Amino acid sequence: MAVELNNIRFHYASNPGKTVLNIPSWSVQNNDHILVTGPSGCGKSTLLSILCGLEHPNEGSVTLFGERIDKMNARQRDRFRANHIGYIFQKLNLIPYLNAIDNIMLATRFCESNKVTSYQEVMAMLDSLNMSAQDWNKPIRLLSVGQQQRVAIARALINKPKLLIADEPTSSLDLSNRDAFMALLMSMIEMTNMTLLFVSHDVSLSGYFNHTQQLKQINHIEGGDNAF
Amino acid sequence: MLFKLALLSLKDRKNSVLLSVLAMTVSIVVLIGIEHIRQQTKANFASTISGVDLIVGARTSSMNLLLYSVFRIGNPTNNIRWDTYQAIANSKQVKWAIPISLGDSHKGFRVMGTTPEYFDFFSYGQKHGLTFKTGSRFNHVFDVVLGADVANQLGYRLGDKITLAHGIGATSFSHHSANPFTVSGILARTGTPVDQTVHVSLQSIEAIHNSGPQTVQLSEALSLIDVQDDPSLQPKTITAFMVGLENKMAIFQFQRTVNEYALEPIVAILPGVALSELWQMMGMLENTLLLISVLVFIAASFGVSAMLLASIRERRHEINLLRMIGAPAYFLFLLIQAEALLITLLSCGLGLSLLSTCLWLFGDELVSQFGLNIDANLLTLNTLYVTMATMIASVLIAIIPSLTGYRHAKQLNN
Ligand SMILES: Nc1ncnc2c1ncn2[C@@H]1O[C@H](COP(=O)(O)OP(=O)(O)OP(=O)(O)O)[C@@H](O)[C@H]1O
Ligand SMILES: [Mg+2]
């Protein structure tokens, strides 16, 4: 199993009265490409934060590839994340004043299994993402949103993570850019045995995935969340 | 990678960073400048005069006597009579005595009348005697010996004719010659007030002040030996005189004798003792200056920290991102420390170069205006210590924003 959650309960420390996640049991198969959908505020990003060890569940166990990350200390979780998880956000995926190459190299810095990534590899990766060489050395903020998201894919994949997590990476893209992005992302991972966990409120993306789940089927919040 | 990231991140915020660097640079210029000048003046100061056992002048505070006789600062309240000088100079315990007469000035430099023996007995530092860069001591009434800075700044060379007289003296000489004095010698640099002094014979001082018709008749070529006994050129008063004793053990006893001299109120001081008293007074001032400069520096460091602290808020995404790619929380602590260190390093570099340039450009000005002989070379052990202290202080103060960065990284409240 890539992901196994059991009896998870979580609320933010700043708002103890409101349980955001209550997941009795949930798992994701190795190599699965899964889309999790749900409306804004239903806890998608929170779930991902727990999976990558940035937030800690109040109760329950989080097992990734057989390792209990809820049992790890902070340093071990940082290492685990650097070594095994790739992450793509909705936006602001990259450090704006670094160029594409430095952004990607920075990600290799913290990964132990990937100390020897060369500039050649990075360039090859950018090349396969249809980035023209003239944009490799520009500060990220001078690139278009579509270009930035492509560099973000490269950044997320450079360490060959076992689990790729994407948090609404297409929501800032227009329709044609969205399709181009999805096609590119899927082509980049189809040859690998990466597990993809993709969250979005956009159900129309489900064609790209093996499975689509609604978060409310996984997350049992009493009375539902009708905040929006 | 850490420093590259810190550097690029600072470059990305160059406006606010530049202001911080400027504030820091100014504070470092002040700090290192004051410390450097302090060390240099202290060294200079202690070596202003040596080999002189006593300085005798009209009764006044020892500080005042030291200031005008050695540093040529201020004016003597009273002169002493020539016969008083002679009475003391001729006593058995006295090995040598050199009269000095101050009063006039030439283009901002003090003119001092003395005897040729002055060049034998005056010494400074570790008993360095005076040496001539060119020429020799005065042999004629209208010979003049220039201190190194005087010659340098006024561009005088050996054999140049110059006018020293002013006031009534000038009119009387103008009948005779516009430039009655001839440069007979230029002293090598000493780093003491001697460098800013114009030395002439006591007789010529007398000649300047006697504006009677007979003075006009004086020839430039008159040898000092020839006029030795000329009563019209015999000084009636002098400002002070320096004394060397036969027996150094007798200094205090001789000092008492002088202080009790019945015919005129005079006082004798030990230059070494008076120098250290004066240094204590100045030292207090300089410690105050140093304290102020330290406070200025600390203020600048807090300014840098405030800037870094403010930046953390706007760098929230950057921090999240670094955490997401696996950077441990302490990486953020180090990153902000690195930024503070880079700012301090840059400011130190800028400050030191600015200060050396200033000292190099205005060193002459300092010498002529304040009698401060400051070495433009800042690369001393002391500067190194001060620079290291600034680094350490800025790192310590930067703990505040660094810890904030660390806490943000830990909590990740996006
Ligand atoms: N740092 C935080 N502190 C306190 N409450 C938070 C925090 N982040 C999110 N929440 C709350 O937790 C709930 C879930 O938020 P989350 O960001 O997981 O939703 P989401 O499904 O990702 O929404 P969106 O589609 O808008 O990104 C929301 O009610 C939100 O207000
Ligand atoms: Mg979200």
Side-chain angles (χ1 to χ4, degrees):
Chain A
M1 283 291 166
V3 177
E4 284 179 82
L5 298 182
N6 278 301
N7 302 320
I8 295 292
R9 275 186 165 270
F10 178 81
H11 59 78
Y12 281 98
S14 56
N15 190 1
K18 184 186 171 196
T19 302
V20 180
L21 295 179
N22 174 19
I23 304 178
S25 170
W26 184 57
S27 59
V28 178
Q29 300 277 341
N30 267 331
N31 303 341
D32 208 354
H33 296 175
I34 178 168
L35 174 67
V36 175
T37 63
S40 182
C42 72
K44 300 185 295 293
S45 300
T46 308
L47 173 64
L48 299 185
S49 293
I50 285 179
L51 286 178
C52 66
L54 285 171
E55 296 286 1
H56 208 67
N58 304 105
E59 285 171 34
S61 64
V62 183
T63 313
L64 296 186
F65 305 100
E67 295 195 56
R68 284 283 297 268
I69 59 168
D70 56 304
K71 290 250 168 87
M72 295 178 180
N73 65 28
R75 189 72 198 97
Q76 288 168 325
R77 280 202 302 270
D78 291 340
R79 287 217 192 93
F80 188 89
R81 183 164 60 253
N83 292 338
H84 302 302
I85 301 178
Y87 207 112
I88 307 174
F89 301 96
Q90 176 172 5
K91 54 181 180 177
L92 303 161
N93 272 297
L94 304 157
I95 293 187
Y97 50 82
L98 294 184
N99 63 31
I101 291 180
D102 285 340
N103 259 292
I104 298 167
M105 288 305 279
L106 186 65
T108 69
R109 255 282 307 214
F110 302 102
C111 175
E112 288 160 319
S113 57
N114 202 358
K115 277 261 146 62
V116 287
T117 306
S118 64
Y119 278 93
Q120 274 69 30
E121 272 178 81
V122 172
M123 290 177 194
M125 171 89 83
L126 284 170
D127 207 36
S128 63
L129 285 162
N130 302 329
M131 291 283 294
S132 62
Q134 69 197 35
D135 295 325
W136 295 354
N137 292 308
K138 282 187 192 162
I140 285 296
R141 69 156 59 91
L142 300 182
L143 302 182
S144 73
V145 181
Q147 285 174 317
Q148 289 183 19
Q149 289 304 70
R150 273 181 274 160
V151 179
I153 295 177
R155 206 279 322 285
L157 295 181
I158 191 70
N159 293 331
K160 305 185 180 67
K162 292 194 221 163
L163 175 63
L164 180 63
I165 291 176
D167 189 353
E168 311 204 42
T170 55
S171 64
S172 53
L173 301 177
D174 61 31
L175 204 62
S176 66
N177 262 319
R178 187 199 79 173
D179 289 334
F181 175 90
M182 288 309 295
L184 200 57
L185 178 66
M186 297 327 260
S187 75
M188 292 299 286
I189 62 169
E190 83 184 337
M191 309 301 284
T192 68
N193 50 3
M194 232 173 254
T195 307
L196 172 62
L197 179 54
F198 195 112
V199 305
S200 176
H201 58 261
D202 186 356
V203 190
S204 66
L205 290 172
S206 57
Y208 291 99
F209 298 88
N210 307 346
H211 301 284
T212 301
Q213 290 187 316
Q214 282 186 286
L215 185 61
K216 68 178 180 215
Q217 296 169 331
I218 308 163
N219 187 21
H220 297 233
I221 297 295
E222 307 81 19
D225 190 338
N226 300 319
F228 293 89
Chain B
M1 196 44 153
L2 179 72
F3 276 93
K4 183 182 179 183
L5 196 62
L7 196 66
L8 288 170
S9 151
L10 288 176
K11 237 174 83 185
D12 189 54
R13 291 172 281 139
K14 49 180 160 320
N15 289 340
S16 57
V17 169
L18 205 68
L19 281 177
S20 300
V21 167
L22 275 180
M24 198 73 165
T25 302
V26 169
S27 79
I28 281 172
V29 165
V30 171
L31 185 66
I32 293 184
I34 284 186
E35 182 55 19
H36 184 67
I37 289 173
R38 202 170 80 108
Q39 294 293 329
Q40 292 269 308
T41 42
K42 191 172 182 177
N44 280 348
F45 197 78
S47 61
T48 317
I49 185 169
S50 68
V52 173
D53 294 325
L54 290 169
I55 299 173
V56 182
R59 191 161 292 163
T60 175
S61 71
S62 59
M63 217 44 60
N64 196 29
L65 178 53
L66 182 78
L67 282 176
Y68 69 70
S69 65
V70 175
F71 292 96
R72 329 264 191 259
I73 294 172
N75 282 306
T77 42
N78 266 311
N79 277 357
I80 53 179
R81 291 202 305 271
W82 181 251
D83 51 351
T84 302
Y85 160 68
Q86 283 199 311
I88 292 171
N90 291 335
S91 64
K92 273 202 298 297
Q93 287 124 299
V94 173
K95 190 171 172 191
W96 52 264
I98 295 163
I100 58 174
S101 186
L102 292 161
D104 294 320
S105 69
H106 173 69
K107 299 191 177 163
F109 294 103
R110 291 307 279 268
V111 175
M112 187 179 88
T114 186
T115 58
E117 289 76 37
Y118 173 81
F119 302 104
D120 292 327
F121 292 114
F122 184 87
S123 58
Y124 65 96
Q126 310 285 63
K127 303 259 159 67
H128 287 295
L130 295 177
T131 51
F132 282 86
K133 196 168 143 219
T134 52
S136 63
R137 65 186 60 185
F138 32 74
N139 293 313
H140 302 99
V141 178
F142 292 110
D143 280 352
V144 52
V145 169
L146 303 176
D149 292 333
V150 183
N152 204 5
Q153 281 177 43
L154 301 181
Y156 291 154
R157 267 168 304 172
L158 204 63
D160 280 359
K161 307 253 180 226
I162 62 174
T163 311
L164 288 191
H166 67 272
I168 41 169
T171 38
S172 66
F173 280 117
S174 62
H175 295 295
H176 180 64
S177 155
N179 299 308
F181 281 87
T182 308
V183 177
S184 77
I186 295 170
L187 293 168
R189 181 174 286 276
T190 64
T192 73
V194 171
D195 295 348
Q196 290 107 49
T197 305
V198 176
H199 306 81
V200 296
S201 64
L202 280 176
Q203 282 81 0
S204 68
I205 296 256
E206 216 46 42
I208 293 169
H209 292 279
N210 292 343
S211 54
Q214 78 274 29
T215 319
V216 184
Q217 303 308 318
L218 283 170
S219 155
E220 298 163 31
L222 264 184
S223 156
L224 281 176
I225 315 283
D226 298 340
V227 299
Q228 222 170 36
D229 300 317
D230 184 336
S232 72
L233 292 180
Q234 203 56 253
K236 318 246 164 348
T237 63
I238 57 171
T239 306
F241 58 96
M242 302 176 199
V243 176
L245 295 178
E246 293 284 357
N247 175 10
K248 307 286 177 203
M249 309 306 267
I251 289 183
F252 291 103
Q253 182 245 320
F254 190 75
Q255 183 185 26
R256 203 167 331 113
T257 317
V258 172
N259 289 350
E260 286 161 5
Y261 184 74
L263 299 177
E264 196 179 9
I266 55 174
V267 65
I269 60 165
L270 282 76
V273 174
L275 274 175
S276 65
E277 272 175 41
L278 184 56
W279 178 251
Q280 268 171 12
M281 271 168 52
M282 310 235 307
M284 212 138 78
L285 178 75
E286 287 183 81
N287 282 338
T288 313
L289 279 179
L290 190 64
L291 181 71
I292 291 172
S293 62
V294 167
L295 290 178
V296 167
F297 169 76
I298 290 178
S301 299
F302 274 111
V304 169
S305 285
M307 185 277 292
L308 290 173
L309 196 60
S311 79
I312 289 174
R313 188 179 288 272
E314 68 201 45
R315 296 162 75 190
R316 238 174 33 243
H317 289 294
E318 196 181 318
I319 294 176
N320 282 357
L321 187 74
L322 283 168
R323 294 285 285 139
M324 203 55 99
I325 60 177
Y330 72 76
F331 184 83
L332 271 302
F333 181 91
L334 293 181
L335 181 64
I336 292 163
Q337 280 290 359
E339 291 179 6
L341 202 63
L342 282 174
I343 288 178
T344 313
L345 218 65
L346 185 61
S347 309
C348 279
L350 281 176
L352 284 175
S353 6
L354 193 68
L355 195 58
S356 324
T357 317
C358 283
L359 285 177
W360 184 71
L361 283 178
F362 303 114
D364 289 345
E365 204 69 11
L366 279 178
V367 167
S368 66
Q369 295 290 310
F370 305 104
L372 283 175
N373 234 312
I374 305 298
D375 193 350
N377 176 21
L378 284 170
L379 297 175
T380 62
L381 207 58
N382 202 52
T383 314
L384 186 72
Y385 290 151
V386 176
T387 314
M388 265 159 45
T390 59
M391 300 279 174
I392 292 170
S394 67
V395 163
L396 287 181
I397 292 174
I399 284 179
I400 304 166
S402 304
L403 269 184
T404 311
Y406 176 81
R407 280 211 335 270
H408 270 252
K410 268 233 117 96
Q411 301 173 344
L412 264 188
N413 273 333
N414 41 342

